[in-house]
PDB file of all heavy atoms in Angstrom:
ATOM      1  N   ASP A 124      95.147 185.101 -69.695  1.00 78.00           N
ATOM      2  CA  ASP A 124      95.192 184.701 -71.101  1.00 78.00           C
ATOM      3  C   ASP A 124      96.545 185.132 -71.642  1.00 78.00           C
ATOM      4  O   ASP A 124      96.777 186.305 -71.905  1.00 78.00           O
ATOM      5  CB  ASP A 124      94.052 185.352 -71.876  1.00 78.00           C
ATOM      6  CG  ASP A 124      94.012 184.918 -73.327  1.00 78.00           C
ATOM      7  OD1 ASP A 124      94.887 184.150 -73.765  1.00 78.00           O
ATOM      8  OD2 ASP A 124      93.084 185.354 -74.037  1.00 78.00           O
ATOM      9  N   LEU A 125      97.444 184.169 -71.769  1.00 74.00           N
ATOM     10  CA  LEU A 125      98.822 184.486 -72.158  1.00 74.00           C
ATOM     11  C   LEU A 125      98.947 185.004 -73.578  1.00 74.00           C
ATOM     12  O   LEU A 125     100.001 185.489 -73.959  1.00 74.00           O
ATOM     13  CB  LEU A 125      99.706 183.256 -71.968  1.00 74.00           C
ATOM     14  CG  LEU A 125      99.920 182.829 -70.521  1.00 74.00           C
ATOM     15  CD1 LEU A 125     100.733 181.542 -70.472  1.00 74.00           C
ATOM     16  CD2 LEU A 125     100.599 183.906 -69.722  1.00 74.00           C
ATOM     17  N   GLY A 126      97.891 184.936 -74.357  1.00 73.00           N
ATOM     18  CA  GLY A 126      97.965 185.375 -75.743  1.00 73.00           C
ATOM     19  C   GLY A 126      98.234 186.855 -75.900  1.00 73.00           C
ATOM     20  O   GLY A 126      98.934 187.276 -76.810  1.00 73.00           O
ATOM     21  N   GLY A 127      97.710 187.693 -75.028  1.00 73.00           N
ATOM     22  CA  GLY A 127      97.867 189.132 -75.227  1.00 73.00           C
ATOM     23  C   GLY A 127      98.205 189.906 -73.976  1.00 73.00           C
ATOM     24  O   GLY A 127      98.174 191.132 -73.979  1.00 73.00           O
ATOM     25  N   CYS A 128      98.548 189.240 -72.907  1.00 80.00           N
ATOM     26  CA  CYS A 128      98.801 189.946 -71.653  1.00 80.00           C
ATOM     27  C   CYS A 128     100.210 190.541 -71.640  1.00 80.00           C
ATOM     28  O   CYS A 128     101.089 190.142 -72.393  1.00 80.00           O
ATOM     29  CB  CYS A 128      98.607 188.999 -70.476  1.00 80.00           C
ATOM     30  SG  CYS A 128      99.820 187.682 -70.400  1.00 80.00           S
ATOM     31  N   GLU A 129     100.383 191.510 -70.771  1.00 85.00           N
ATOM     32  CA  GLU A 129     101.689 192.128 -70.572  1.00 85.00           C
ATOM     33  C   GLU A 129     102.458 191.277 -69.567  1.00 85.00           C
ATOM     34  O   GLU A 129     101.978 191.015 -68.469  1.00 85.00           O
ATOM     35  CB  GLU A 129     101.531 193.554 -70.037  1.00 85.00           C
ATOM     36  CG  GLU A 129     100.795 194.490 -70.967  1.00 85.00           C
ATOM     37  CD  GLU A 129     101.592 194.831 -72.214  1.00 85.00           C
ATOM     38  OE1 GLU A 129     102.831 194.937 -72.121  1.00 85.00           O
ATOM     39  OE2 GLU A 129     100.975 194.981 -73.277  1.00 85.00           O
ATOM     40  N   LEU A 130     103.641 190.840 -69.970  1.00 85.00           N
ATOM     41  CA  LEU A 130     104.482 190.000 -69.124  1.00 85.00           C
ATOM     42  C   LEU A 130     105.820 190.678 -68.871  1.00 85.00           C
ATOM     43  O   LEU A 130     106.250 191.528 -69.653  1.00 85.00           O
ATOM     44  CB  LEU A 130     104.722 188.642 -69.788  1.00 85.00           C
ATOM     45  CG  LEU A 130     103.501 187.775 -70.040  1.00 85.00           C
ATOM     46  CD1 LEU A 130     103.858 186.579 -70.902  1.00 85.00           C
ATOM     47  CD2 LEU A 130     102.886 187.311 -68.735  1.00 85.00           C
ATOM     48  N   GLN A 131     106.454 190.261 -67.799  1.00 87.00           N
ATOM     49  CA  GLN A 131     107.790 190.742 -67.498  1.00 87.00           C
ATOM     50  C   GLN A 131     108.667 189.551 -67.147  1.00 87.00           C
ATOM     51  O   GLN A 131     108.244 188.657 -66.400  1.00 87.00           O
ATOM     52  CB  GLN A 131     107.763 191.721 -66.327  1.00 87.00           C
ATOM     53  CG  GLN A 131     109.133 192.274 -65.987  1.00 87.00           C
ATOM     54  CD  GLN A 131     109.072 193.286 -64.864  1.00 87.00           C
ATOM     55  OE1 GLN A 131     108.193 193.245 -64.019  1.00 87.00           O
ATOM     56  NE2 GLN A 131     110.018 194.210 -64.857  1.00 87.00           N
ATOM     57  N   CYS A 132     109.870 189.555 -67.701  1.00 89.00           N
ATOM     58  CA  CYS A 132     110.841 188.538 -67.324  1.00 89.00           C
ATOM     59  C   CYS A 132     111.298 188.844 -65.907  1.00 89.00           C
ATOM     60  O   CYS A 132     111.767 189.958 -65.628  1.00 89.00           O
ATOM     61  CB  CYS A 132     112.033 188.546 -68.284  1.00 89.00           C
ATOM     62  SG  CYS A 132     113.322 187.374 -67.803  1.00 89.00           S
ATOM     63  N   LEU A 133     111.129 187.897 -65.005  1.00 88.00           N
ATOM     64  CA  LEU A 133     111.493 188.111 -63.609  1.00 88.00           C
ATOM     65  C   LEU A 133     112.983 187.883 -63.358  1.00 88.00           C
ATOM     66  O   LEU A 133     113.450 188.056 -62.236  1.00 88.00           O
ATOM     67  CB  LEU A 133     110.646 187.215 -62.711  1.00 88.00           C
ATOM     68  CG  LEU A 133     109.139 187.476 -62.789  1.00 88.00           C
ATOM     69  CD1 LEU A 133     108.380 186.496 -61.914  1.00 88.00           C
ATOM     70  CD2 LEU A 133     108.795 188.912 -62.434  1.00 88.00           C
ATOM     71  N   VAL A 134     113.718 187.543 -64.418  1.00 90.00           N
ATOM     72  CA  VAL A 134     115.164 187.384 -64.308  1.00 90.00           C
ATOM     73  C   VAL A 134     115.862 188.694 -64.682  1.00 90.00           C
ATOM     74  O   VAL A 134     116.682 189.209 -63.933  1.00 90.00           O
ATOM     75  CB  VAL A 134     115.666 186.222 -65.194  1.00 90.00           C
ATOM     76  CG1 VAL A 134     117.188 186.110 -65.132  1.00 90.00           C
ATOM     77  CG2 VAL A 134     115.003 184.917 -64.784  1.00 90.00           C
ATOM     78  N   CYS A 135     115.482 189.270 -65.845  1.00 95.00           N
ATOM     79  CA  CYS A 135     116.169 190.475 -66.317  1.00 95.00           C
ATOM     80  C   CYS A 135     115.293 191.724 -66.331  1.00 95.00           C
ATOM     81  O   CYS A 135     115.790 192.831 -66.540  1.00 95.00           O
ATOM     82  CB  CYS A 135     116.747 190.243 -67.711  1.00 95.00           C
ATOM     83  SG  CYS A 135     115.498 190.107 -69.022  1.00 95.00           S
ATOM     84  N   GLY A 136     113.987 191.571 -66.134  1.00 94.00           N
ATOM     85  CA  GLY A 136     113.094 192.729 -66.071  1.00 94.00           C
ATOM     86  C   GLY A 136     112.507 193.166 -67.398  1.00 94.00           C
ATOM     87  O   GLY A 136     111.727 194.118 -67.434  1.00 94.00           O
TER      88      GLY A 136
END
Side-chain angles (χ1 to χ4, degrees):
D124 183 357
L125 292 176
C128 67
E129 298 290 325
L130 298 171
Q131 181 178 27
C132 176
L133 299 177
V134 177
C135 70

